[in-house]
Amino acid sequence: PEQVRVRLETRARMLASGADPYPVSSPRTTTAAALREKYPDLPKDTATGEIAGVAGRVMLSRIGGKICFATLRDGTGDIQAMIRLDEVGAERLADWKRDVDLGDHVGVTGEVITSRSGELSVLAHSFAITAKSLRPLPEKHAGLTDPEARVRQRYLDLIVNPASRRLAEMRSAVTQSVRSSLLARGYQEVETPILTPLHGGANARPFTTHYNAYDVDVYLRIALELYLKRLVVGGIEKVFEIGRNFRNEGVDSTHNPEFTMLEAYEAYADYSDMMELVEHLVAGVAQATRGTTVLEYQGRRLDLTPPWRRASIEQLIAEQTGVELSLESGAPELARRAGELDVAIPAGAAAGAILVEIYERTVEADLWGPVHVTDYPIEVSPLARDHRSRPGYVERFETVVAGRELVNAFSELNDPVEQRRRLEIQAAAHEAGDDEAMVLDEEFLRALDHGMPPTGGIGIGVDRLVMLLADVTSIREVLLFPALRPLRDGAASSEAGTGGGDAAGDAG
């Protein structure tokens, strides 16, 4: 493009004159935010006498005869730079006008003042380009609004859309809050393998890769669970991990092939204790990031203040459909009822699977919550312990908020004989062609043989938690680099709206 050619010529001219368009550093002494905090109410046309060095990307540029103005954006915010003839001289003012383009990184040293309009500024005594931009920023008015372009060129999205920068900051604050809360409760943070010899801990299709050194296939983990439970066996009684999982499945507004999970396990806790822990963590994150536990999500009030409602699957189905169902109804009756409710059921499905399918198709999306949905059938919960008072069920809950599953949690199964039986059923299903069923993990079972104390565990989808707090509906908004369909051969990535003009506006 013509603008790239012109900028390359500027780069060549600077190098020929002995100026480095990519110096190793700049004499930066402060940030935009620090200056604004220090001088929040400085009167118009005031000089402070303070000399400061600032640096940032040129987001707005106004060229005048004897004075130029530029908005510099650093990692903390915006500050205005003023380049004036009587301060820098005619030659350097001409250099600014000729060499500095929108998108360039520039370092400016000078006195902190306010302009005649009252804008906090740095009046340049000296300046230097610190990184010459060879491509123009998106044009101010069209901006970078195409959703596909925004995620393919996330760096541009972060430059021109302040809302995207705030989302990235919020995600960091969420993980920091969760981590701090768990550490304060005595949990120990660990890291477990990402490449594993077997895939287990969830029903999902894995990604497969290969260890050249050992000449064996391995898998990207689909869950953190089985390694964390080994650590509970080993005596780490409160343990957690925040890490990436990988599932070779579909992509939609709430699913990405790689995603972030928090899993936490606590010895001598059960699923009731885990409900309290979930409420504590989520309410704490809301308070830390939004300053309140009463939010608005997609225009609707959402109160995350503990305690939260607890209700069984059967109770919620009855409330939503008016139909009383349970495992005791039997598979044929549940299948008949599913047909009446327009819920498709696979041939030969067991009663527990049918009951959960009815719940998921008729109830879950309408639960605004938050609500802990309790007491799942054994058939769909191979890693949870039997319910202490309800045969055929396990002590498991899923927390649903705004119609979306946020948490999956159990009183963990710690009987190694029963765990082997259930995993053998999973392995048989896998051998029969169910590539989402778990395989038999002998190392995990050997660890259980040594005795795991009664344990409660939770898994929280971090991406979905950020979506909730950020009031967005697509997981792509809260992932800096979501999975994308590859561009066709020869196709260029969209650079929506690139061109002239300034790029100071929020185009998101």
Side-chain angles (χ1 to χ4, degrees), residues 85 88-95:
L85 175 65
V88 299
E91 184 177 350
R92 289 297 283 154
L93 181 61
D95 289 342

Side-chain angles (χ1 to χ4, degrees), residues 128-332:
I129 293 175
T130 58
K132 183 66 186 172
S133 173
L134 299 182
R135 290 181 180 269
L137 293 176
E139 191 269 336
K140 176 181 178 180
H141 300 291
L144 191 69
T145 56
D146 175 58
E148 189 76 8
R150 288 181 58 209
V151 294
R152 288 193 184 277
Q153 298 174 286
R154 182 65 85 189
Y155 47 91
L156 286 181
D157 184 34
L158 292 170
I159 291 170
V160 302
N161 292 333
S164 296
R165 181 80 67 87
R166 289 193 294 271
L167 258 179
E169 292 167 352
M170 173 175 280
R171 185 184 181 97
S172 177
V174 166
T175 55
Q176 181 179 339
S177 173
V178 169
R179 179 174 283 112
S180 297
S181 293
L182 287 168
L183 292 173
R185 285 191 163 213
Y187 280 79
Q188 179 175 331
E189 184 173 12
V190 299
E191 293 178 322
T192 59
I194 291 175
L195 292 173
T196 62
L198 299 169
H199 58 91
N203 291 95
R205 186 180 297 113
F207 287 92
T208 306
T209 185
H210 190 78
Y211 266 151
N212 290 334
Y214 299 141
D215 192 25
V216 294
D217 286 342
V218 290
Y219 306 91
L220 293 178
R221 67 184 179 197
I222 60 174
L224 310 172
E225 181 164 347
L226 301 188
Y227 281 95
L228 292 176
K229 285 182 175 177
R230 286 166 164 85
L231 299 179
V232 177
V233 171
I236 303 178
E237 293 191 343
K238 289 185 174 184
V239 63
F240 78 96
E241 182 173 4
I242 300 172
R244 285 291 211 190
N245 287 342
F246 307 84
R247 298 183 184 180
N248 197 359
E249 299 173 344
V251 178
D252 60 28
S253 63
T254 60
H255 295 88
N256 193 70
E258 55 177 308
F259 58 98
T260 302
M261 285 290 295
L262 159 72
E263 289 199 26
Y265 295 86
E266 180 175 342
Y268 297 100
D270 64 12
Y271 79 150
S272 293
D273 298 313
M274 294 297 102
M275 292 180 202
E276 186 276 331
L277 178 61
V278 167
E279 293 170 6
H280 170 79
L281 290 176
V282 175
V285 168
Q287 192 68 49
T289 59
R290 298 287 299 275
T292 179
T293 56
V294 181
L295 313 178
E296 184 174 282
Y297 183 73
Q298 296 300 293
R300 187 172 172 185
R301 185 176 185 271
L302 180 62
D303 190 349
L304 300 177
T305 309
W308 299 350
R309 186 187 180 198
R310 305 179 183 190
S312 69
I313 283 179
E314 298 96 326
Q315 179 183 349
L316 292 167
I317 291 174
E319 291 175 1
Q320 181 72 12
T321 68
V323 178
E324 300 277 349
L325 298 175
S326 69
L327 291 181
E328 288 72 25
S329 303

